[in-house]
Amino acid sequence: ARLSRVRALTAGINSLVVRVSGRCELLEGVCRIAVEKGGFAVAWIGMVENGAVQSPMAARYGGTTAYREQLQSKVASDPAQFIPLLDAISAGRPWVINDLEAISEMPLGAEAIAIGLRARVALPLRIDGRVVAVFGLASAQVGIFDEEEQSLLMEMADDVSFALDHIGKTEQLAFLNYYDPLTGLANRRLFLDRL
């Protein structure tokens, strides 16, 4: 049943990937589907730049508003707390905690346990071999992220990475179509389009 849920989540994200054309729409949709169809309690995506998760987060869904705001402010105020997560992510493997109560020092661990979260996973979103974002999921179930589920979630993360890459290239082509790549100024084509 658990693996069927993840497969349904993957199918929902794949249909989203086909329909969306913007990065924000994609990331917000992925988080919403992860909570609504995937049965996860909280989903978030943070863009990675210079080895740190950037603030504000690109998208987040689920959990309480207070928890989402705490997560956002923790990333903004002290990104160094997330270094173990980024070390695992940069190695290209998921960062998994299957029992939050077993680990005493964890960013927002006590807050997560207070709202009923028991397990977390963070997945790398990679484009051309480099991590561009982190996709985090939290569950109320202890031990949910076994090897089989991690494998399916990594496949889903690869689909999201592909969509991010495609959207980025589409945006770049649109820019080059209407702007000079050297100066960034509008070109004749944009002028005629607006005229």
Side-chain angles (χ1 to χ4, degrees), residues 94-121:
W95 180 72
V96 180
I97 298 175
N98 268 316
D99 187 0
L100 283 172
E101 292 178 339
I103 298 174
S104 58
E105 292 187 24
M106 168 65 53
L108 287 174
E111 294 87 342
I113 291 167
I115 64 166
L117 302 179
R118 297 295 180 262
R120 287 182 183 167
V121 67

mmCIF file of all heavy atoms in Angstrom, residues 94-121:
data_model
loop_
_atom_site.group_PDB
_atom_site.id
_atom_site.type_symbol
_atom_site.label_atom_id
_atom_site.label_comp_id
_atom_site.label_asym_id
_atom_site.label_seq_id
_atom_site.Cartn_x
_atom_site.Cartn_y
_atom_site.Cartn_z
ATOM 1 N N PRO A 94 19.994 10.330 -0.889
ATOM 2 C CA PRO A 94 19.040 10.977 0.010
ATOM 3 C C PRO A 94 19.576 11.047 1.442
ATOM 4 O O PRO A 94 20.379 10.218 1.853
ATOM 5 C CB PRO A 94 17.798 10.086 -0.071
ATOM 6 C CG PRO A 94 18.222 8.839 -0.715
ATOM 7 C CD PRO A 94 19.511 9.072 -1.409
ATOM 8 N N TRP A 95 19.127 12.047 2.149
ATOM 9 C CA TRP A 95 19.428 12.222 3.571
ATOM 10 C C TRP A 95 18.186 11.757 4.310
ATOM 11 O O TRP A 95 17.114 12.334 4.141
ATOM 12 C CB TRP A 95 19.723 13.694 3.814
ATOM 13 C CG TRP A 95 20.050 14.092 5.216
ATOM 14 C CD1 TRP A 95 21.190 13.834 5.905
ATOM 15 C CD2 TRP A 95 19.218 14.853 6.096
ATOM 16 N NE1 TRP A 95 21.126 14.400 7.145
ATOM 17 C CE2 TRP A 95 19.921 15.023 7.296
ATOM 18 C CE3 TRP A 95 17.948 15.400 5.985
ATOM 19 C CZ2 TRP A 95 19.402 15.725 8.378
ATOM 20 C CZ3 TRP A 95 17.430 16.101 7.049
ATOM 21 C CH2 TRP A 95 18.155 16.263 8.232
ATOM 22 N N VAL A 96 18.313 10.704 5.094
ATOM 23 C CA VAL A 96 17.146 10.050 5.688
ATOM 24 C C VAL A 96 17.270 9.984 7.204
ATOM 25 O O VAL A 96 18.310 9.610 7.737
ATOM 26 C CB VAL A 96 16.997 8.608 5.142
ATOM 27 C CG1 VAL A 96 15.789 7.926 5.745
ATOM 28 C CG2 VAL A 96 16.915 8.607 3.634
ATOM 29 N N ILE A 97 16.191 10.334 7.871
ATOM 30 C CA ILE A 97 16.052 10.108 9.312
ATOM 31 C C ILE A 97 14.722 9.395 9.485
ATOM 32 O O ILE A 97 13.662 9.984 9.263
ATOM 33 C CB ILE A 97 16.071 11.422 10.113
ATOM 34 C CG1 ILE A 97 17.407 12.112 9.912
ATOM 35 C CG2 ILE A 97 15.813 11.136 11.581
ATOM 36 C CD1 ILE A 97 17.497 13.462 10.552
ATOM 37 N N ASN A 98 14.773 8.134 9.876
ATOM 38 C CA ASN A 98 13.553 7.343 10.014
ATOM 39 C C ASN A 98 12.937 7.404 11.398
ATOM 40 O O ASN A 98 11.847 6.889 11.607
ATOM 41 C CB ASN A 98 13.814 5.885 9.615
ATOM 42 C CG ASN A 98 13.520 5.657 8.151
ATOM 43 O OD1 ASN A 98 12.517 6.122 7.629
ATOM 44 N ND2 ASN A 98 14.416 4.953 7.480
ATOM 45 N N ASP A 99 13.638 8.018 12.358
ATOM 46 C CA ASP A 99 13.072 8.178 13.703
ATOM 47 C C ASP A 99 13.632 9.450 14.318
ATOM 48 O O ASP A 99 14.749 9.457 14.847
ATOM 49 C CB ASP A 99 13.398 6.956 14.559
ATOM 50 C CG ASP A 99 12.692 6.975 15.908
ATOM 51 O OD1 ASP A 99 11.941 7.942 16.189
ATOM 52 O OD2 ASP A 99 12.886 6.023 16.678
ATOM 53 N N LEU A 100 12.871 10.529 14.245
ATOM 54 C CA LEU A 100 13.329 11.824 14.759
ATOM 55 C C LEU A 100 13.579 11.794 16.261
ATOM 56 O O LEU A 100 14.449 12.507 16.758
ATOM 57 C CB LEU A 100 12.297 12.912 14.439
ATOM 58 C CG LEU A 100 12.276 13.416 13.007
ATOM 59 C CD1 LEU A 100 11.096 14.344 12.781
ATOM 60 C CD2 LEU A 100 13.564 14.115 12.657
ATOM 61 N N GLU A 101 12.822 10.982 16.997
ATOM 62 C CA GLU A 101 12.988 10.940 18.452
ATOM 63 C C GLU A 101 14.317 10.310 18.856
ATOM 64 O O GLU A 101 14.804 10.551 19.951
ATOM 65 C CB GLU A 101 11.817 10.191 19.080
ATOM 66 C CG GLU A 101 10.508 10.959 18.949
ATOM 67 C CD GLU A 101 9.321 10.217 19.532
ATOM 68 O OE1 GLU A 101 9.396 8.981 19.688
ATOM 69 O OE2 GLU A 101 8.319 10.875 19.824
ATOM 70 N N ALA A 102 14.924 9.528 17.979
ATOM 71 C CA ALA A 102 16.189 8.872 18.297
ATOM 72 C C ALA A 102 17.386 9.808 18.148
ATOM 73 O O ALA A 102 18.469 9.510 18.632
ATOM 74 C CB ALA A 102 16.380 7.652 17.393
ATOM 75 N N ILE A 103 17.194 10.938 17.476
ATOM 76 C CA ILE A 103 18.290 11.891 17.265
ATOM 77 C C ILE A 103 17.983 13.154 18.067
ATOM 78 O O ILE A 103 16.979 13.820 17.839
ATOM 79 C CB ILE A 103 18.445 12.225 15.767
ATOM 80 C CG1 ILE A 103 18.802 10.943 15.022
ATOM 81 C CG2 ILE A 103 19.504 13.283 15.553
ATOM 82 C CD1 ILE A 103 18.846 11.097 13.542
ATOM 83 N N SER A 104 18.870 13.473 19.003
ATOM 84 C CA SER A 104 18.579 14.586 19.912
ATOM 85 C C SER A 104 18.806 15.953 19.283
ATOM 86 O O SER A 104 18.003 16.856 19.464
ATOM 87 C CB SER A 104 19.416 14.456 21.189
ATOM 88 O OG SER A 104 20.790 14.435 20.853
ATOM 89 N N GLU A 105 19.909 16.117 18.559
ATOM 90 C CA GLU A 105 20.207 17.432 17.990
ATOM 91 C C GLU A 105 19.888 17.437 16.507
ATOM 92 O O GLU A 105 20.625 16.915 15.688
ATOM 93 C CB GLU A 105 21.666 17.777 18.219
ATOM 94 C CG GLU A 105 21.974 18.006 19.677
ATOM 95 C CD GLU A 105 23.375 18.523 19.888
ATOM 96 O OE1 GLU A 105 23.946 19.123 18.962
ATOM 97 O OE2 GLU A 105 23.885 18.326 20.991
ATOM 98 N N MET A 106 18.781 18.065 16.173
ATOM 99 C CA MET A 106 18.291 18.107 14.804
ATOM 100 C C MET A 106 17.602 19.452 14.616
ATOM 101 O O MET A 106 16.801 19.852 15.464
ATOM 102 C CB MET A 106 17.302 16.960 14.606
ATOM 103 C CG MET A 106 16.498 17.012 13.357
ATOM 104 S SD MET A 106 17.483 16.841 11.879
ATOM 105 C CE MET A 106 18.380 15.376 12.209
ATOM 106 N N PRO A 107 17.912 20.192 13.533
ATOM 107 C CA PRO A 107 17.211 21.455 13.312
ATOM 108 C C PRO A 107 15.697 21.233 13.280
ATOM 109 O O PRO A 107 15.197 20.406 12.528
ATOM 110 C CB PRO A 107 17.719 21.922 11.947
ATOM 111 C CG PRO A 107 19.017 21.217 11.756
ATOM 112 C CD PRO A 107 18.889 19.920 12.491
ATOM 113 N N LEU A 108 15.001 21.931 14.147
ATOM 114 C CA LEU A 108 13.543 21.859 14.266
ATOM 115 C C LEU A 108 13.043 20.448 14.627
ATOM 116 O O LEU A 108 11.906 20.114 14.365
ATOM 117 C CB LEU A 108 12.860 22.333 12.983
ATOM 118 C CG LEU A 108 12.907 23.830 12.728
ATOM 119 C CD1 LEU A 108 12.320 24.162 11.369
ATOM 120 C CD2 LEU A 108 12.180 24.588 13.807
ATOM 121 N N GLY A 109 13.892 19.649 15.244
ATOM 122 C CA GLY A 109 13.488 18.289 15.620
ATOM 123 C C GLY A 109 12.369 18.289 16.648
ATOM 124 O O GLY A 109 11.371 17.589 16.494
ATOM 125 N N ALA A 110 12.517 19.080 17.719
ATOM 126 C CA ALA A 110 11.497 19.125 18.763
ATOM 127 C C ALA A 110 10.187 19.691 18.218
ATOM 128 O O ALA A 110 9.098 19.194 18.538
ATOM 129 C CB ALA A 110 11.985 19.969 19.939
ATOM 130 N N GLU A 111 10.286 20.709 17.363
ATOM 131 C CA GLU A 111 9.084 21.301 16.772
ATOM 132 C C GLU A 111 8.381 20.300 15.858
ATOM 133 O O GLU A 111 7.151 20.219 15.829
ATOM 134 C CB GLU A 111 9.436 22.566 15.988
ATOM 135 C CG GLU A 111 9.948 23.715 16.829
ATOM 136 C CD GLU A 111 11.455 23.667 17.069
ATOM 137 O OE1 GLU A 111 12.071 22.592 16.876
ATOM 138 O OE2 GLU A 111 12.012 24.696 17.477
ATOM 139 N N ALA A 112 9.159 19.523 15.113
ATOM 140 C CA ALA A 112 8.585 18.518 14.221
ATOM 141 C C ALA A 112 7.870 17.433 15.017
ATOM 142 O O ALA A 112 6.746 17.037 14.683
ATOM 143 C CB ALA A 112 9.679 17.903 13.345
ATOM 144 N N ILE A 113 8.513 16.965 16.077
ATOM 145 C CA ILE A 113 7.899 15.932 16.915
ATOM 146 C C ILE A 113 6.621 16.460 17.561
ATOM 147 O O ILE A 113 5.619 15.745 17.657
ATOM 148 C CB ILE A 113 8.914 15.439 17.969
ATOM 149 C CG1 ILE A 113 10.025 14.660 17.258
ATOM 150 C CG2 ILE A 113 8.246 14.578 19.025
ATOM 151 C CD1 ILE A 113 11.237 14.374 18.117
ATOM 152 N N ALA A 114 6.623 17.739 17.952
ATOM 153 C CA ALA A 114 5.447 18.334 18.595
ATOM 154 C C ALA A 114 4.219 18.343 17.685
ATOM 155 O O ALA A 114 3.086 18.250 18.165
ATOM 156 C CB ALA A 114 5.761 19.756 19.064
ATOM 157 N N ILE A 115 4.425 18.436 16.362
ATOM 158 C CA ILE A 115 3.253 18.429 15.460
ATOM 159 C C ILE A 115 3.012 17.050 14.849
ATOM 160 O O ILE A 115 2.219 16.903 13.931
ATOM 161 C CB ILE A 115 3.363 19.507 14.358
ATOM 162 C CG1 ILE A 115 4.542 19.240 13.420
ATOM 163 C CG2 ILE A 115 3.413 20.894 14.949
ATOM 164 C CD1 ILE A 115 4.486 20.053 12.140
ATOM 165 N N GLY A 116 3.734 16.038 15.387
ATOM 166 C CA GLY A 116 3.454 14.669 14.970
ATOM 167 C C GLY A 116 4.330 14.116 13.860
ATOM 168 O O GLY A 116 4.053 13.038 13.333
ATOM 169 N N LEU A 117 5.407 14.807 13.503
ATOM 170 C CA LEU A 117 6.303 14.290 12.473
ATOM 171 C C LEU A 117 7.296 13.325 13.113
ATOM 172 O O LEU A 117 7.814 13.588 14.191
ATOM 173 C CB LEU A 117 7.051 15.430 11.782
ATOM 174 C CG LEU A 117 6.180 16.495 11.119
ATOM 175 C CD1 LEU A 117 7.042 17.572 10.490
ATOM 176 C CD2 LEU A 117 5.266 15.878 10.083
ATOM 177 N N ARG A 118 7.563 12.215 12.438
ATOM 178 C CA ARG A 118 8.455 11.204 13.007
ATOM 179 C C ARG A 118 9.614 10.816 12.086
ATOM 180 O O ARG A 118 10.562 10.197 12.533
ATOM 181 C CB ARG A 118 7.662 9.940 13.365
ATOM 182 C CG ARG A 118 6.605 10.145 14.432
ATOM 183 C CD ARG A 118 7.261 10.509 15.757
ATOM 184 N NE ARG A 118 6.303 10.723 16.819
ATOM 185 C CZ ARG A 118 5.865 11.903 17.215
ATOM 186 N NH1 ARG A 118 6.265 12.999 16.611
ATOM 187 N NH2 ARG A 118 5.018 12.027 18.210
ATOM 188 N N ALA A 119 9.519 11.139 10.804
ATOM 189 C CA ALA A 119 10.583 10.759 9.868
ATOM 190 C C ALA A 119 10.739 11.839 8.805
ATOM 191 O O ALA A 119 9.770 12.519 8.462
ATOM 192 C CB ALA A 119 10.260 9.420 9.220
ATOM 193 N N ARG A 120 11.980 11.977 8.302
ATOM 194 C CA ARG A 120 12.265 12.968 7.269
ATOM 195 C C ARG A 120 13.167 12.373 6.207
ATOM 196 O O ARG A 120 13.997 11.505 6.492
ATOM 197 C CB ARG A 120 13.014 14.168 7.854
ATOM 198 C CG ARG A 120 12.225 15.098 8.695
ATOM 199 C CD ARG A 120 13.146 16.225 9.113
ATOM 200 N NE ARG A 120 12.474 17.151 9.997
ATOM 201 C CZ ARG A 120 13.094 18.082 10.708
ATOM 202 N NH1 ARG A 120 14.404 18.185 10.642
ATOM 203 N NH2 ARG A 120 12.428 18.899 11.476
ATOM 204 N N VAL A 121 13.030 12.905 5.011
ATOM 205 C CA VAL A 121 13.959 12.590 3.930
ATOM 206 C C VAL A 121 14.173 13.863 3.123
ATOM 207 O O VAL A 121 13.279 14.697 3.018
ATOM 208 C CB VAL A 121 13.439 11.440 3.023
ATOM 209 C CG1 VAL A 121 12.211 11.857 2.245
ATOM 210 C CG2 VAL A 121 14.507 10.944 2.067
#
